[in-house]
């Protein structure tokens, strides 16, 4: 199968969106924890967080699942696992054991020495910080499960199925909504747990991530990404954009008109059911729609896009440190939260890509993430 350039471009877009998402954390009503506190918050960043979280990591999982079967076919099961452990596992270990401990030490300012903090608290009490690298840990786990499945199930030539029509897509939206609502009764949004003590997971989005990863694998075998009709993709793109825009308008209406709360992050609450359906519509609409849009309109690469795509993974790895540094640097700047968000994003994004280009020239880095 020929290289899908539009997939590389889509990953660049998603990576930049991740950088912007983290750049906005101190300046909007995020539900999670963040090391930097900005006293003034911009309410409009609330739907920015919500719409992003509704689809961008799910689309990352879909793309990762899509490329997994082909890699397994080419490399074999053993080599695939070794490749994933090298490309994903080594960065996780390096950042978790070497990079994050001094950052946490500086942020928490404990009275003990750094060596004591690192050996007795961080390692001794197993309070490891994985931060945004939870995604890589999930990819390692899912790759291992896929290899196990390939080992247990005899491979057969799959039946060729046409791309899902509107009926099947709506059925997936409804099923995803109901399962997500059920999960969030016990595990609301922004509640993280460690699965088997080592795998950090926000269970509230687990149904989306796992199902899209599996759909990515199925889409590769059925070639759905390239076969999906343009009109169908654009219709769902409109649905996703419309549902996302409605989330923004609702937030503005709450701020200006005092609209009642229609969204809950979890629990046995009809508002949680409404948001589960709303979020699923955003997710499916944007995931399907962006795949088709990039396939039809951004299926090319010049020098710039090629360079950005080559550095997207490294940017994902390092961006958090740069973003935190910039956020600390402008903490006392007398400007509004949206201006700070813009400054961190506009300065941080090219800085991340520039640093990535430098790091990838180092031999010991290039071996892992080239």
């Amino acid at each position: 199968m020929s290289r899908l350039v539009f997939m590389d471009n889509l990953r660049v877009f998603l990576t930049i969106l991740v950088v912007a998402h983290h750049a906005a954390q101190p300046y909007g009503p995020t539900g999670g924890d963040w090391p930097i506190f900005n006293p003034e918050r911009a309410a409009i960043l609330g739907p920015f967080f919500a719409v992003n979280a509704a689809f961008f990591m799910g689309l990352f999982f879909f793309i990762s699942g899509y490329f997994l079967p082909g890699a397994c076919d080419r490399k074999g099961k053993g080599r695939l696992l070794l490749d994933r452990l090298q490309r994903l596992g080594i960065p996780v270990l390096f950042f978790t054991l070497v990079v994050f401990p001094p950052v946490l030490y500086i942020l928490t300012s404990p009275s003990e020495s750094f060596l004591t903090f690192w050996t007795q608290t961080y390692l001794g009490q197993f309070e490891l910080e994985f931060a945004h690298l939870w995604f890589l840990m999930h990819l390692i786990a899912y790759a291992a499960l896929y290899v196990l499945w390939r080992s247990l199930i005899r491979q057969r030539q799959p039946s060729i199925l046409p791309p899902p029509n509107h009926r099947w897509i709506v059925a997936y939206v409804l099923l995803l909504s109901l399962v997500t609502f059920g999960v969030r009764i016990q595990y609301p949004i922004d509640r993280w747990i460690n699965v088997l003590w080592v795998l950090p997971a926000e269970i509230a989005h687990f149904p989306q991530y796992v199902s899209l990863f599996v759909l990515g694998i199925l889409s590769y075998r059925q070639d759905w990404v390239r076969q999906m009709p343009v009109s169908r993709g654009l219709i769902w793109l409109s649905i996703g954009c419309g549902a996302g825009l409605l989330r923004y308008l609702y937030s503005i209406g709450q701020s200006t008109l005092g609209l009642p709360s229609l969204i809950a992050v979890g629990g046995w609450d009809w508002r949680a059911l409404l948001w589960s359906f709303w979020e699923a519509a955003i997710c499916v609409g944007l995931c399907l729609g962006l795949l088709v849009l990039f396939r039809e309109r951004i299926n090319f690469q010049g020098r710039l896009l090629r360079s950005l795509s080559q550095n997207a993974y490294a940017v994902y790895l390092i961006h958090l440190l740069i973003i935190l540094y910039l956020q600390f640097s402008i903490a006392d700047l007398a400007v509004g939260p949206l201006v700070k968000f813009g400054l961190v994003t506009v300065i941080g994004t090219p800085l991340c890509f520039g640093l990535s280009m430098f790091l990838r020239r180092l031999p010991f880095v290039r071996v892992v993430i080239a």
Side-chain angles (χ1 to χ4, degrees):
M1 183 174 288
S2 60
R3 187 172 186 84
L4 302 182
V5 173
F6 70 90
M7 286 278 215
D8 292 336
N9 296 337
L10 183 53
R11 277 190 286 207
V12 170
F13 167 74
L14 293 174
T15 301
I16 294 174
L17 193 57
V18 168
V19 174
H21 188 88
H22 287 147
Q25 289 293 319
Y27 313 121
T30 179
D33 297 325
W34 197 254
I36 301 164
F37 177 79
N38 193 74
E40 186 182 358
R41 301 294 175 108
I44 195 63
L45 289 177
F48 178 72
F49 295 137
V51 172
N52 289 347
F55 85 97
F56 70 163
M57 295 311 299
L59 188 47
F60 263 131
F61 275 110
F62 178 91
I63 295 172
S64 300
Y66 183 88
F67 287 107
L68 188 60
C72 192
D73 294 343
R74 293 191 307 272
K75 300 176 181 180
K77 295 186 285 290
R79 178 65 183 278
L80 173 69
L81 285 180
L82 288 176
D83 177 73
R84 291 297 186 267
L85 288 174
Q86 173 182 304
R87 184 169 173 79
L88 305 176
I90 291 177
V92 168
L93 288 175
F94 177 74
F95 276 82
T96 301
L97 300 180
V98 178
V99 177
F100 291 151
V103 174
L104 283 175
Y105 184 79
I106 294 171
L107 291 174
T108 58
S109 301
S111 57
E112 57 194 350
S113 68
F114 172 71
L115 183 60
T116 302
F117 167 80
W118 188 65
T119 56
Q120 296 184 12
T121 302
Y122 188 76
L123 296 179
Q125 299 179 24
F126 207 63
E127 295 183 358
L128 305 182
E129 178 59 62
F130 298 102
H132 61 299
L133 302 186
W134 66 267
F135 174 59
L136 306 188
M137 296 181 67
H138 279 245
L139 293 185
I140 295 172
Y142 297 173
L145 290 174
Y146 177 76
V147 167
L148 178 62
W149 178 77
R150 287 276 296 256
S151 300
L152 296 177
I153 305 297
R154 193 174 73 176
Q155 287 295 108
R156 297 179 298 175
Q157 186 67 25
S159 302
I160 302 301
L161 301 173
N165 56 29
H166 292 298
R167 182 180 301 176
W168 283 107
I169 298 172
V170 169
Y172 172 66
V173 170
L174 294 175
L175 181 61
L176 178 60
S177 305
L178 293 175
V179 174
T180 298
F181 168 69
V183 166
R184 290 179 182 176
I185 293 174
Q186 295 295 326
Y187 297 96
I189 296 173
D190 287 323
R191 179 182 173 187
W192 288 76
I193 65 170
N194 287 326
V195 179
L196 300 177
W197 301 282
V198 295
L199 189 65
E202 186 200 17
I203 304 300
H205 284 103
F206 200 64
Q208 178 196 124
Y209 297 160
V210 173
S211 62
L212 284 172
F213 187 83
V214 172
L215 284 173
I217 294 173
L218 185 59
S219 296
Y220 174 83
R221 293 300 184 196
Q222 301 293 337
D223 200 22
W224 284 344
V225 170
R226 296 199 293 187
Q227 299 298 325
M228 180 63 66
V230 176
S231 60
R232 196 175 305 167
L234 294 183
I235 287 172
W236 280 96
L237 178 62
S238 300
I239 292 172
C241 289
L245 177 61
L246 185 62
R247 180 63 179 84
Y248 277 89
L249 293 176
Y250 167 70
S251 180
I252 295 172
Q254 271 194 308
S255 301
T256 59
L257 303 177
L259 295 180
S261 175
L262 299 177
I263 294 174
V265 297
W268 190 260
D269 190 325
W270 67 269
R271 296 172 302 173
L273 177 61
L274 174 63
W275 176 241
S276 295
F277 175 77
W278 196 345
E279 184 184 70
I282 296 172
C283 171
V284 176
L286 291 183
C287 287
L288 176 56
L290 287 173
L291 283 164
V292 172
L293 178 66
F294 273 68
R295 185 193 72 191
E296 296 299 315
R297 293 289 182 264
I298 318 180
N299 195 14
F300 59 87
Q301 278 190 343
R303 197 172 188 178
L304 176 61
L305 274 177
R306 188 179 305 110
S307 176
L308 294 178
S309 67
Q310 291 169 348
N311 287 278
Y313 175 53
V315 167
Y316 184 87
L317 291 176
I318 67 174
H319 79 276
L320 200 60
L321 300 174
I322 297 173
I323 292 303
L324 286 173
Y325 174 76
L326 291 174
Q327 289 168 343
F328 270 115
S329 299
I330 66 171
D332 297 326
L333 196 63
V335 294
L338 287 179
V339 175
K340 289 184 177 180
F341 163 55
L343 286 173
V344 175
T345 303
V346 170
I347 297 173
T349 302
L351 195 58
C352 288
F353 278 95
L355 182 58
S356 168
M357 293 174 190
F358 168 75
L359 291 175
R360 290 179 65 251
R361 293 176 180 174
L362 303 177
F364 56 89
V365 175
R366 188 168 60 244
V367 168
V368 177
I369 64 174

